[in-house]
Amino acid sequence: MPVSGASGDLGAVPPVKVVLLTPRRSDGGVRDRLWEFSRNWWPEMGLDWPHHVGEDTGPGPFCRGRLINQAAEAAGDWDVAVIVDGDVVIDPRQVRQAGDRASVTERMVLPYDRYVSLSEKMTGRVLDGFNGSWLGSEDPTAGRAKRNHVSSVVV
């Protein structure tokens, strides 16, 4: 069943359970500020799926995979997992489409084919409430060059 709520005669197919999984480590600074913004982004965009966080509080290397597994276990039973870093926002339509595809194919889906990293200055503006185009001071060509990145959001 599509996760985006598309209509159609689906018979007695049970709804798909989608969860958000985030691996993260607090830094007491900018990462925490980015996390506060991005974790609120999901429900504000209508993606109010249960959100589970794998927290790393100890010293040593950050183990993203361990924290994803921790969050996945805490989520219990689910059909589609949206693994999202704690400093990422994405067009909700892309995530829904990726969820629909993953629920049908049962394969990993990247909900984008390119991305743009915001500069520190633009990130600060967004965190301070700027609601215009986030690409205002960014070079979209730089984002197109980043096609091989398999992180940030994976469904």
Side-chain angles (χ1 to χ4, degrees), residues 114-116 138-146:
R114 66 182 176 93
Y115 71 96
V116 176
E138 307 305 313
D139 177 4
T141 307
R144 286 189 191 101
K146 298 176 183 174

Side-chain angles (χ1 to χ4, degrees), residues 18-132:
V18 181
V19 295
L20 294 170
L21 308 175
T22 300
R24 75 173 301 271
R25 176 188 280 176
S26 174
D27 70 350
V30 71
R31 284 187 188 264
D32 291 343
R33 191 166 178 222
L34 292 169
W35 168 240
E36 286 301 314
F37 182 89
S38 67
R39 78 179 175 118
N40 292 320
W41 172 266
W42 296 93
E44 287 174 9
M45 294 296 110
L47 301 172
D48 56 353
W49 302 313
H51 198 160
H52 300 273
V53 180
E55 292 275 354
D56 184 354
T57 58
F62 180 79
C63 183
R64 185 175 190 272
R66 179 177 57 82
L67 299 175
I68 291 168
N69 287 334
Q70 182 187 96
E73 185 175 343
D77 291 331
W78 46 266
D79 301 304
V80 174
V82 178
I83 302 168
V84 59
D85 289 349
D87 60 354
V88 173
V89 294
I90 187 171
D91 184 330
R93 293 171 298 189
Q94 291 173 269
V95 178
R96 284 189 190 99
Q97 288 172 351
D100 288 346
R101 184 155 180 89
S103 72
V104 171
T105 65
E106 297 182 354
R107 295 179 184 261
M108 181 180 82
V109 177
L110 299 178
Y112 54 87
D113 67 355
R114 66 182 176 93
Y115 71 96
V116 176
S117 295
L118 298 183
S119 66
E120 185 176 342
K121 180 179 176 183
M122 181 54 84
T123 297
R125 291 180 69 194
V126 170
L127 293 175
D128 289 338
F130 175 75
N131 61 5

